[in-house]
Coordinates of all heavy atoms in Angstrom, one line a residue:
M1 N 28.1 -1.8 5.8 CA 26.8 -2.2 5.3 C 25.8 -1.1 5.5 O 25.8 -0.6 6.6 CB 26.4 -3.6 5.9 CG 25.0 -4.0 5.6 SD 24.4 -5.4 6.4 CE 24.8 -6.6 5.2
V2 N 25.0 -0.9 4.6 CA 24.0 0.2 4.7 C 22.8 -0.4 5.5 O 22.3 -1.5 5.1 CB 23.5 0.6 3.3 CG1 22.4 1.6 3.4 CG2 24.6 1.3 2.6
R3 N 22.3 0.3 6.4 CA 21.1 -0.1 7.2 C 19.9 0.4 6.6 O 19.8 1.6 6.3 CB 21.2 0.4 8.6 CG 20.2 -0.1 9.5 CD 20.4 0.3 11.0 NE 19.4 -0.1 11.8 CZ 18.2 0.5 12.0 NH1 17.9 1.6 11.5 NH2 17.3 0.0 12.9
I4 N 18.9 -0.5 6.3 CA 17.6 -0.1 5.7 C 16.6 -0.1 6.9 O 16.4 -1.1 7.5 CB 17.2 -1.0 4.6 CG1 18.3 -1.0 3.5 CG2 15.9 -0.7 4.1 CD1 18.1 -2.0 2.4
D5 N 15.9 1.0 7.1 CA 14.9 1.1 8.1 C 13.6 0.6 7.5 O 12.9 1.3 6.8 CB 14.8 2.5 8.6 CG 13.8 2.7 9.7 OD1 13.1 1.7 10.1 OD2 13.6 3.9 10.1
L6 N 13.1 -0.6 7.9 CA 11.8 -1.1 7.4 C 10.7 -0.4 8.0 O 9.5 -0.7 7.6 CB 11.8 -2.6 7.6 CG 12.8 -3.4 6.7 CD1 12.8 -4.9 7.1 CD2 12.7 -3.2 5.3
N7 N 10.9 0.4 9.0 CA 9.8 1.2 9.6 C 9.6 2.5 8.8 O 8.7 3.3 9.1 CB 10.1 1.5 11.0 CG 10.0 0.2 11.9 OD1 9.1 -0.6 11.7 ND2 10.9 0.1 12.8
D8 N 10.4 2.8 7.8 CA 10.3 4.0 7.1 C 8.9 4.0 6.3 O 8.6 3.1 5.6 CB 11.4 4.0 6.0 CG 11.5 5.3 5.2 OD1 10.4 6.0 5.1 OD2 12.6 5.6 4.8
P9 N 8.2 5.1 6.5 CA 6.8 5.2 5.9 C 6.9 5.3 4.3 O 5.9 5.2 3.6 CB 6.2 6.4 6.5 CG 7.3 7.2 7.0 CD 8.4 6.2 7.4
N10 N 8.1 5.5 3.8 CA 8.3 5.6 2.4 C 8.4 4.2 1.7 O 8.6 4.1 0.6 CB 9.5 6.4 2.0 CG 9.2 7.9 2.4 OD1 8.2 8.5 1.9 ND2 10.0 8.5 3.2
I11 N 8.4 3.1 2.5 CA 8.4 1.7 2.1 C 7.0 1.1 2.5 O 6.7 1.1 3.6 CB 9.5 1.0 2.7 CG1 10.9 1.6 2.4 CG2 9.5 -0.5 2.2 CD1 12.0 1.0 3.2
M12 N 6.3 0.6 1.5 CA 5.0 0.1 1.7 C 4.6 -1.0 0.8 O 5.3 -1.2 -0.3 CB 3.9 1.2 1.6 CG 3.9 1.8 0.3 SD 3.2 3.5 0.3 CE 4.8 4.4 0.2
D13 N 3.6 -1.9 1.2 CA 3.2 -2.9 0.3 C 2.3 -2.3 -0.8 O 1.8 -1.2 -0.7 CB 2.5 -4.1 1.0 CG 1.2 -3.7 1.5 OD1 0.3 -3.2 0.8 OD2 0.9 -4.0 2.8
A14 N 2.2 -3.0 -1.9 CA 1.6 -2.5 -3.1 C 0.1 -2.2 -2.9 O -0.4 -1.2 -3.3 CB 1.7 -3.5 -4.2
K15 N -0.6 -3.0 -2.0 CA -1.9 -2.7 -1.7 C -2.1 -1.4 -1.0 O -3.0 -0.6 -1.3 CB -2.5 -3.9 -0.9 CG -4.0 -3.8 -0.6 CD -4.4 -5.1 0.1 CE -5.8 -5.1 0.6 NZ -6.1 -6.3 1.3
E16 N -1.4 -1.2 0.0 CA -1.4 0.0 0.8 C -1.1 1.2 -0.1 O -1.8 2.3 0.0 CB -0.4 -0.1 2.0 CG -0.3 1.2 2.8 CD 0.9 1.1 3.8 OE1 1.6 0.1 3.9 OE2 0.9 2.0 4.7
A17 N 0.0 1.1 -0.9 CA 0.3 2.2 -1.8 C -0.8 2.6 -2.7 O -1.0 3.8 -3.0 CB 1.6 1.9 -2.5
S18 N -1.4 1.6 -3.3 CA -2.5 1.8 -4.2 C -3.6 2.6 -3.5 O -4.2 3.5 -4.1 CB -3.1 0.5 -4.7 OG -2.1 -0.2 -5.5
K19 N -4.0 2.2 -2.3 CA -5.0 2.9 -1.6 C -4.6 4.3 -1.3 O -5.4 5.3 -1.4 CB -5.3 2.2 -0.3 CG -6.1 0.9 -0.5 CD -6.3 0.3 0.9 CE -7.1 -1.0 0.8 NZ -7.3 -1.6 2.2
I20 N -3.4 4.5 -0.9 CA -2.9 5.9 -0.5 C -3.0 6.9 -1.7 O -3.4 8.0 -1.5 CB -1.4 5.9 0.1 CG1 -1.4 5.2 1.4 CG2 -0.9 7.3 0.1 CD1 0.0 4.9 1.9
W21 N -2.7 6.3 -2.9 CA -2.8 7.2 -4.1 C -4.1 7.1 -4.7 O -4.3 7.7 -5.8 CB -1.7 6.7 -5.1 CG -0.4 7.5 -4.9 CD1 -0.1 8.6 -5.7 CD2 0.6 7.4 -4.0 NE1 1.2 9.1 -5.2 CE2 1.6 8.4 -4.2 CE3 0.9 6.4 -2.9 CZ2 2.8 8.4 -3.4 CZ3 2.0 6.5 -2.2 CH2 2.9 7.5 -2.4
G22 N -5.1 6.5 -4.1 CA -6.5 6.6 -4.5 C -6.9 5.7 -5.6 O -7.7 6.0 -6.4
H23 N -6.2 4.6 -5.8 CA -6.4 3.6 -6.8 C -7.0 2.3 -6.3 O -6.9 2.1 -5.0 CB -5.1 3.3 -7.6 CG -4.6 4.5 -8.4 ND1 -5.2 4.9 -9.6 CD2 -3.6 5.4 -8.1 CE1 -4.5 6.0 -10.0 NE2 -3.6 6.3 -9.1
A24 N -7.4 1.4 -7.1 CA -7.8 0.1 -6.7 C -6.7 -0.7 -6.1 O -5.5 -0.4 -6.4 CB -8.4 -0.7 -7.9
E25 N -7.0 -1.6 -5.2 CA -6.0 -2.4 -4.5 C -5.0 -3.1 -5.4 O -3.8 -3.3 -5.0 CB -6.7 -3.5 -3.6 CG -7.4 -2.9 -2.4 CD -8.1 -4.0 -1.6 OE1 -8.0 -5.2 -1.9 OE2 -8.7 -3.6 -0.6
N26 N -5.4 -3.4 -6.6 CA -4.5 -4.2 -7.5 C -3.8 -3.3 -8.5 O -3.1 -3.8 -9.4 CB -5.3 -5.2 -8.2 CG -6.4 -4.6 -9.1 OD1 -6.7 -3.5 -9.1 ND2 -6.9 -5.5 -10.0
Y27 N -3.8 -2.0 -8.3 CA -3.2 -1.0 -9.3 C -1.8 -1.3 -9.5 O -1.3 -1.4 -10.6 CB -3.5 0.4 -8.7 CG -2.8 1.5 -9.6 CD1 -3.4 1.9 -10.8 CD2 -1.6 2.1 -9.2 CE1 -2.8 2.8 -11.6 CE2 -1.0 3.0 -9.9 CZ -1.6 3.4 -11.2 OH -1.0 4.4 -11.9
V28 N -1.0 -1.4 -8.4 CA 0.5 -1.6 -8.6 C 0.8 -2.9 -9.2 O 1.6 -2.9 -10.1 CB 1.2 -1.4 -7.2 CG1 2.7 -1.8 -7.3 CG2 1.0 0.0 -6.7
R29 N 0.1 -3.9 -8.8 CA 0.3 -5.3 -9.4 C 0.1 -5.2 -10.9 O 0.8 -5.8 -11.7 CB -0.6 -6.3 -8.7 CG 0.1 -7.2 -7.8 CD -0.8 -8.3 -7.2 NE -2.1 -7.8 -6.9 CZ -3.2 -8.3 -7.3 NH1 -3.2 -9.4 -8.1 NH2 -4.4 -7.8 -7.0
L30 N -1.0 -4.6 -11.3 CA -1.3 -4.6 -12.7 C -0.4 -3.7 -13.5 O 0.1 -4.0 -14.6 CB -2.8 -4.0 -13.0 CG -3.9 -5.0 -12.5 CD1 -5.2 -4.3 -12.6 CD2 -3.8 -6.3 -13.3
F31 N 0.0 -2.6 -12.9 CA 0.9 -1.6 -13.5 C 2.3 -2.3 -13.7 O 2.9 -2.1 -14.8 CB 1.1 -0.3 -12.6 CG 1.7 0.8 -13.4 CD1 0.8 1.8 -14.0 CD2 3.1 0.9 -13.6 CE1 1.4 2.8 -14.7 CE2 3.6 2.0 -14.3 CZ 2.7 2.9 -14.9
I32 N 2.8 -2.9 -12.7 CA 4.1 -3.6 -12.9 C 4.2 -4.6 -14.0 O 5.1 -4.8 -14.7 CB 4.7 -4.1 -11.5 CG1 6.2 -4.5 -11.7 CG2 3.9 -5.3 -11.0 CD1 7.2 -3.4 -11.8
K33 N 3.0 -5.3 -14.1 CA 2.9 -6.4 -15.2 C 3.0 -5.7 -16.5 O 3.6 -6.2 -17.4 CB 1.6 -7.1 -15.0 CG 1.6 -8.4 -14.4 CD 0.3 -9.1 -14.5 CE 0.3 -10.4 -13.8 NZ -1.1 -11.0 -13.8
Q34 N 2.2 -4.6 -16.7 CA 2.1 -4.0 -18.0 C 3.2 -3.0 -18.3 O 3.5 -2.8 -19.5 CB 0.7 -3.3 -18.1 CG -0.4 -4.2 -17.9 CD -1.7 -3.5 -17.8 OE1 -1.8 -2.2 -17.7 NE2 -2.9 -4.2 -17.6
N35 N 3.8 -2.4 -17.3 CA 4.8 -1.4 -17.5 C 6.0 -1.5 -16.6 O 6.3 -0.6 -15.8 CB 4.2 0.0 -17.3 CG 2.9 0.2 -18.1 OD1 3.1 0.5 -19.3 ND2 1.8 0.3 -17.5
P36 N 6.7 -2.6 -16.6 CA 7.8 -2.8 -15.6 C 8.9 -1.8 -15.7 O 9.5 -1.5 -14.6 CB 8.3 -4.2 -15.9 CG 7.9 -4.5 -17.4 CD 6.6 -3.7 -17.6
N37 N 9.1 -1.2 -16.8 CA 10.2 -0.2 -16.9 C 9.9 1.2 -16.5 O 10.7 2.1 -16.5 CB 10.7 -0.2 -18.4 CG 11.3 -1.5 -18.8 OD1 11.9 -2.2 -18.0 ND2 11.0 -1.9 -20.0
K38 N 8.7 1.4 -16.0 CA 8.2 2.8 -15.6 C 8.7 3.0 -14.2 O 8.8 4.2 -13.8 CB 6.7 2.9 -15.7 CG 6.2 2.8 -17.1 CD 6.4 4.0 -17.9 CE 5.7 3.9 -19.3 NZ 5.9 5.0 -20.1
F39 N 9.0 2.1 -13.4 CA 9.4 2.2 -12.0 C 10.9 2.5 -12.1 O 11.7 1.8 -12.7 CB 9.2 1.0 -11.2 CG 7.8 0.8 -10.8 CD1 6.9 0.0 -11.5 CD2 7.3 1.4 -9.6 CE1 5.6 -0.2 -11.1 CE2 6.0 1.2 -9.2 CZ 5.1 0.5 -9.9
P40 N 11.4 3.6 -11.4 CA 12.8 3.8 -11.4 C 13.5 2.6 -10.6 O 12.9 2.0 -9.8 CB 12.9 5.1 -10.5 CG 11.6 5.8 -10.6 CD 10.6 4.7 -10.8
E41 N 14.7 2.4 -11.0 CA 15.5 1.3 -10.5 C 15.5 1.4 -8.9 O 15.8 2.4 -8.3 CB 17.0 1.4 -10.9 CG 17.8 0.3 -10.5 CD 17.5 -1.0 -11.1 OE1 17.1 -1.1 -12.3 OE2 17.7 -2.1 -10.4
G42 N 15.2 0.2 -8.3 CA 15.2 0.2 -6.9 C 14.0 0.7 -6.1 O 14.0 0.8 -4.9
T43 N 13.0 1.0 -6.8 CA 11.8 1.5 -6.2 C 10.6 0.5 -6.0 O 9.6 0.8 -5.4 CB 11.2 2.7 -6.9 OG1 10.8 2.4 -8.2 CG2 12.2 3.8 -7.0
I44 N 10.8 -0.7 -6.6 CA 9.8 -1.8 -6.4 C 10.5 -3.1 -6.4 O 11.5 -3.3 -7.1 CB 8.8 -1.7 -7.5 CG1 7.6 -2.7 -7.1 CG2 9.3 -2.0 -8.9 CD1 6.3 -2.4 -7.9
R45 N 10.0 -4.0 -5.6 CA 10.7 -5.3 -5.5 C 9.6 -6.3 -4.9 O 8.7 -6.0 -4.2 CB 11.8 -5.3 -4.5 CG 12.5 -6.7 -4.4 CD 13.8 -6.6 -3.7 NE 14.3 -7.9 -3.4 CZ 15.3 -8.2 -2.6 NH1 15.9 -7.2 -1.9 NH2 15.7 -9.4 -2.4
K46 N 9.7 -7.6 -5.4 CA 8.8 -8.6 -5.0 C 9.5 -9.5 -4.0 O 10.6 -10.0 -4.2 CB 8.4 -9.4 -6.2 CG 7.2 -10.4 -5.9 CD 6.7 -10.9 -7.2 CE 5.3 -11.7 -6.9 NZ 4.8 -12.3 -8.0
F47 N 8.8 -9.7 -2.8 CA 9.3 -10.5 -1.8 C 8.3 -11.7 -1.6 O 7.2 -11.5 -1.2 CB 9.4 -9.8 -0.4 CG 10.5 -8.8 -0.4 CD1 10.2 -7.5 -0.8 CD2 11.8 -9.1 0.0 CE1 11.2 -6.5 -0.7 CE2 12.8 -8.2 0.1 CZ 12.5 -6.8 -0.3
G48 N 8.6 -12.8 -2.2 CA 7.7 -13.9 -2.2 C 6.6 -13.6 -3.1 O 6.8 -13.3 -4.3
K49 N 5.3 -13.5 -2.6 CA 4.2 -13.0 -3.4 C 3.8 -11.6 -3.2 O 2.9 -11.1 -3.9 CB 3.0 -13.9 -3.0 CG 3.2 -15.4 -3.4 CD 1.9 -16.2 -3.1 CE 2.1 -17.6 -3.4 NZ 0.9 -18.4 -3.2
Q50 N 4.6 -10.9 -2.4 CA 4.3 -9.5 -2.1 C 5.1 -8.5 -2.7 O 6.3 -8.6 -2.7 CB 4.5 -9.4 -0.5 CG 4.1 -8.0 0.0 CD 2.6 -7.8 0.0 OE1 1.8 -8.6 0.4 NE2 2.2 -6.7 -0.6
W51 N 4.5 -7.6 -3.4 CA 5.2 -6.4 -4.0 C 5.4 -5.4 -2.9 O 4.5 -5.0 -2.2 CB 4.5 -5.9 -5.2 CG 4.6 -6.7 -6.4 CD1 3.6 -7.6 -6.9 CD2 5.7 -6.8 -7.3 NE1 4.1 -8.1 -8.0 CE2 5.3 -7.7 -8.3 CE3 6.9 -6.2 -7.4 CZ2 6.2 -8.0 -9.4 CZ3 7.8 -6.4 -8.4 CH2 7.4 -7.3 -9.4
V52 N 6.6 -4.8 -2.9 CA 6.9 -3.7 -2.0 C 7.4 -2.6 -2.8 O 8.2 -2.7 -3.7 CB 8.0 -4.1 -0.9 CG1 8.4 -2.9 -0.1 CG2 7.5 -5.3 -0.1
V53 N 6.9 -1.4 -2.6 CA 7.2 -0.2 -3.4 C 7.5 1.0 -2.5 O 7.1 1.1 -1.4 CB 5.9 0.1 -4.4 CG1 4.7 0.5 -3.6 CG2 6.3 1.2 -5.4
T54 N 8.3 1.9 -3.1 CA 8.6 3.2 -2.4 C 7.7 4.3 -2.8 O 7.1 4.3 -3.8 CB 10.1 3.5 -2.5 OG1 10.3 3.8 -4.0 CG2 11.0 2.4 -2.2
T55 N 7.8 5.3 -2.0 CA 7.1 6.6 -2.3 C 7.6 7.1 -3.6 O 6.8 7.5 -4.5 CB 7.3 7.6 -1.2 OG1 6.7 7.1 0.0 CG2 6.6 9.0 -1.6
E56 N 8.9 7.1 -3.9 CA 9.4 7.5 -5.1 C 8.9 6.7 -6.3 O 8.6 7.4 -7.4 CB 11.0 7.3 -5.1 CG 11.6 7.8 -6.4 CD 13.2 7.4 -6.5 OE1 13.7 7.0 -5.4 OE2 13.7 7.6 -7.5
G57 N 8.7 5.5 -6.2 CA 8.2 4.6 -7.2 C 6.7 5.0 -7.5 O 6.3 5.1 -8.7
M58 N 6.0 5.2 -6.5 CA 4.5 5.6 -6.7 C 4.4 7.0 -7.3 O 3.6 7.2 -8.2 CB 3.8 5.6 -5.4 CG 3.5 4.1 -4.8 SD 2.7 3.1 -6.0 CE 1.1 3.9 -6.1
E59 N 5.2 7.9 -6.9 CA 5.2 9.2 -7.5 C 5.6 9.2 -9.0 O 5.0 9.9 -9.8 CB 6.2 10.2 -6.7 CG 5.6 10.5 -5.4 CD 6.6 11.4 -4.5 OE1 7.7 11.5 -4.8 OE2 6.0 11.9 -3.5
A60 N 6.5 8.3 -9.3 CA 7.0 8.1 -10.7 C 5.9 7.6 -11.6 O 5.7 8.1 -12.7 CB 8.2 7.3 -10.8
I61 N 5.2 6.6 -11.1 CA 4.1 6.0 -12.0 C 2.9 6.8 -12.1 O 2.1 6.7 -13.1 CB 3.9 4.5 -11.7 CG1 3.3 4.3 -10.3 CG2 5.2 3.7 -11.9 CD1 2.6 2.9 -10.1
T62 N 2.5 7.5 -11.0 CA 1.3 8.2 -10.9 C 1.4 9.6 -11.3 O 0.4 10.3 -11.8 CB 0.6 8.2 -9.5 OG1 1.5 8.8 -8.6 CG2 0.4 6.8 -9.1
G63 N 2.6 10.2 -11.2 CA 2.8 11.7 -11.4 C 2.2 12.5 -10.3 O 2.1 13.7 -10.5
V64 N 1.9 11.9 -9.2 CA 1.2 12.6 -8.1 C 2.2 12.5 -6.9 O 2.6 11.4 -6.5 CB -0.1 11.9 -7.8 CG1 -0.8 12.6 -6.6 CG2 -1.0 12.0 -9.0
P65 N 2.4 13.7 -6.3 CA 3.2 13.7 -5.0 C 2.5 12.9 -3.9 O 1.3 12.7 -4.0 CB 3.3 15.1 -4.6 CG 2.9 15.9 -5.8 CD 2.0 15.0 -6.6
D66 N 3.2 12.4 -3.0 CA 2.7 11.6 -1.8 C 1.5 12.3 -1.2 O 1.6 13.4 -0.6 CB 3.8 11.4 -0.8 CG 3.4 10.5 0.3 OD1 2.2 10.2 0.5 OD2 4.2 10.0 1.1
P67 N 0.3 11.8 -1.3 CA -1.0 12.4 -0.8 C -0.9 12.5 0.7 O -1.6 13.4 1.3 CB -2.1 11.5 -1.2 CG -1.6 10.7 -2.3 CD -0.1 10.6 -2.1
R68 N -0.1 11.8 1.4 CA 0.0 11.8 2.9 C 0.6 13.2 3.3 O 0.4 13.6 4.4 CB 0.8 10.7 3.4 CG 0.2 9.3 3.2 CD 1.1 8.2 3.5 NE 2.3 8.2 2.7 CZ 3.3 7.4 2.8 NH1 3.2 6.4 3.7 NH2 4.3 7.5 2.0
K69 N 1.4 13.8 2.5 CA 2.1 15.0 2.9 C 1.1 16.1 2.9 O 1.3 17.1 3.7 CB 3.2 15.3 1.9 CG 4.4 14.3 2.0 CD 5.5 14.6 1.1 CE 6.5 13.5 1.2 NZ 7.6 13.6 0.2
N70 N 0.1 16.1 2.2 CA -1.0 17.2 2.2 C -1.7 17.2 3.4 O -2.3 18.1 3.9 CB -1.9 17.0 1.0 CG -1.2 17.3 -0.4 OD1 -0.2 18.0 -0.4 ND2 -1.7 16.7 -1.4
K71 N -1.9 16.0 4.0 CA -2.7 15.8 5.3 C -1.9 16.4 6.5 O -2.5 16.7 7.5 CB -3.0 14.4 5.6 CG -3.9 13.8 4.5 CD -4.2 12.3 4.8 CE -5.1 11.8 3.7 NZ -5.4 10.3 3.9
D72 N -0.6 16.6 6.4 CA 0.2 17.2 7.5 C -0.1 18.7 7.7 O 0.2 19.2 8.7 CB 1.7 16.9 7.3 CG 2.0 15.4 7.4 OD1 1.1 14.6 8.0 OD2 3.0 15.0 6.9
N73 N -0.5 19.3 6.7 CA -0.7 20.8 6.7 C -2.0 21.2 7.4 O -2.9 20.6 7.4 CB -0.6 21.3 5.3 CG 0.7 21.1 4.7 OD1 1.8 21.0 5.4 ND2 0.7 21.0 3.3

């Protein structure tokens, strides 16, 4: 069985991801409603009422690399 590390910073809730990429808190929720096929397979999932998205998913829909990586330099 593959172990998934839920502490991985590349896994985040939609609200947090939206803020990191500089969008309104509801950006991911609205985007998935309007463009569900834009997210690569396995990069977004709904758990109950909460959307969880990966860095790869956010980079795919925004076309912008992870902004947190620029802060490390």
Side-chain angles (χ1 to χ4, degrees):
M1 175 185 264
V2 176
R3 183 175 181 273
I4 298 170
D5 181 2
L6 294 176
N7 292 317
D8 186 332
N10 292 306
I11 302 170
M12 61 207 96
D13 69 52
K15 183 176 176 181
E16 176 186 8
S18 295
K19 287 181 180 180
I20 290 169
W21 266 263
H23 294 281
E25 291 180 359
N26 63 348
Y27 176 77
V28 173
R29 254 184 319 126
L30 292 175
F31 197 97
I32 190 72
K33 257 187 186 178
Q34 296 170 0
N35 306 287
N37 298 324
K38 297 283 184 177
F39 284 92
E41 182 71 31
T43 63
I44 191 162
R45 182 172 172 191
K46 193 170 188 180
F47 291 91
K49 294 182 179 182
Q50 184 67 49
W51 283 102
V52 176
V53 65
T54 64
T55 299
E56 179 187 353
M58 289 303 295
E59 290 175 343
I61 66 165
T62 63
V64 176
D66 187 345
R68 299 171 295 180
K69 292 180 181 168
N70 294 333
K71 292 180 182 178
D72 293 340
N73 295 332

